[in-house]
Amino acid sequence: MRIGGIETAPQHFLGDYPNFKWEGFKHIVPDDLAGRSVLDIGCNAGFYTMEMKRRNAGRVVGIDSDARYLEQARFAAKHEGLDIEYRQMSVYEVPQLKERFDLVIFMGVLYHLRHPLLALDLLYEHVVDDMMLFQCLQRGDERIPDLQENYDFSEWSLFDQPDYPKLFFVEERYASDPTNWFLPNTAAMEAMLRSAGFVIRENPEREVYLLGRGKRHYAVEPPSFVKQS
Ligand SMILES: C[S@@+](CC[C@H](N)C(=O)[O-])C[C@H]1O[C@@H](n2cnc3c(N)ncnc32)[C@H](O)[C@@H]1O
């Protein structure tokens, strides 16, 4: 990230991150957000909140569970003269916001969660009004299998199919990061989003999606603490 043209982490192992990543898909977000509201969950040092404000967003709120990142974000936004609200808050606490946002950004957070489907359900039920910019680390097969409506209890080989939806539980053994928990393959990622009620509007590059709201389709209703009252 750059503040006042100065690169803040020139030694970062991913380079000028997240700027170079943003370059690859920034065209899927409207150039002019025309006063629309934005919530960035897991906002880190505020890169996406500042980009949205520069695109003429109205109210912009960034939340993160880590107070140190929020301090960096406040410092950067102040330096850039951007009016952004930052709050220490976990994704599981979004119902407390009691507000829906035109654009929710949920980039690079899902695989850090022990309860990924709970997070997606809460976002759908409580904060996403129109669209969600989403990214999650994926590993394994990138194909989407052609699945039947249902399989018999005796079916076994299906689960060895590489493209079958899979959610790898990496525990504390991946990328030296003990906060990595579940990594989906592409089919599992898209199925999880779908089952939470999201529809894919754009998929400009692997792992990155612009989502809209669709209909939830699971047979069992979510528990009352997930559903909006
Ligand atoms: C890999 S970084 C992604 C940062 C940024 N969204 C991006 O895409 O560049 C993950 C961020 O999510 C935050 N985070 C992790 N668990 C969280 C949770 N339960 N609620 C909110 N933020 C969380 C971390 O503190 C960190 O800032």
Side-chain angles (χ1 to χ4, degrees):
M1 192 162 102
R2 286 166 191 276
I3 304 175
I6 298 167
E7 215 173 308
T8 53
Q11 314 297 339
H12 196 289
F13 76 108
L14 289 171
D16 183 11
Y17 190 86
N19 193 43
F20 84 88
K21 183 99 183 123
W22 171 233
E23 286 297 321
F25 58 82
K26 63 183 189 184
H27 58 279
I28 63 169
V29 175
D31 277 342
D32 183 1
L33 285 165
R36 285 192 264 181
S37 59
V38 177
L39 172 67
D40 184 3
I41 300 163
C43 65
N44 203 268
F47 176 85
Y48 291 107
T49 56
M50 292 190 284
E51 287 301 319
M52 297 308 112
K53 201 72 194 173
R54 290 190 185 106
R55 287 188 178 208
N56 207 19
R59 175 168 155 72
V60 178
V61 179
I63 67 168
D64 203 289
S65 51
D66 190 323
R68 292 166 303 174
Y69 292 136
L70 292 168
E71 248 177 78
Q72 294 176 349
R74 285 189 192 105
F75 173 83
K78 189 173 172 198
H79 192 281
E80 300 288 299
L82 299 170
D83 178 21
I84 299 168
E85 182 183 332
Y86 293 105
R87 291 174 68 165
Q88 187 175 9
M89 186 180 252
S90 163
V91 63
Y92 303 120
E93 296 170 318
V94 293
Q96 292 173 18
L97 289 167
K98 298 197 184 313
E99 183 177 350
R100 284 187 182 272
F101 293 79
D102 297 314
L103 171 63
V104 171
I105 300 175
F106 193 40
M107 301 281 293
V109 184
L110 198 79
Y111 55 95
H112 290 302
L113 304 179
R114 288 179 60 83
H115 311 288
L117 281 175
L118 172 61
L120 291 176
D121 286 350
L122 289 169
L123 297 185
Y124 181 88
E125 288 288 334
H126 295 269
V127 290
V128 178
D129 193 42
D130 180 22
M131 51 187 169
M132 180 158 88
L133 182 63
F134 174 80
Q135 184 266 344
C136 177
L137 197 65
Q138 294 176 13
R139 288 295 180 264
D141 208 282
E142 295 181 39
R143 290 167 299 174
I144 303 292
D146 196 10
L147 297 176
Q148 294 171 200
E149 270 301 300
N150 191 26
Y151 291 88
D152 192 79
F153 189 69
S154 61
E155 173 61 48
W156 193 272
S157 61
L158 175 69
F159 300 100
D160 293 325
Q161 228 177 270
D163 59 358
Y164 189 78
K166 292 189 168 91
L167 195 53
F168 303 101
F169 184 58
V170 299
E171 213 172 353
E172 294 173 341
R173 298 182 180 82
Y174 192 67
S176 311
D177 185 343
T179 73
N180 289 335
W181 294 108
F182 292 100
L183 302 183
N185 65 5
T186 302
M189 187 68 267
E190 296 189 3
M192 288 167 75
L193 292 168
R194 189 168 56 241
S195 84
F198 295 105
V199 289
I200 297 170
R201 286 193 196 162
E202 310 249 16
N203 178 204
E205 60 178 55
R206 69 181 298 280
E207 298 184 353
V208 176
Y209 299 90
L210 185 68
L211 305 167
R213 287 177 65 84
K215 255 192 167 308
R216 314 196 70 141
H217 62 85
Y218 47 51
V220 181
E221 281 296 303
S224 56
F225 65 87
V226 170
K227 282 196 87 165
Q228 213 177 18
S229 52

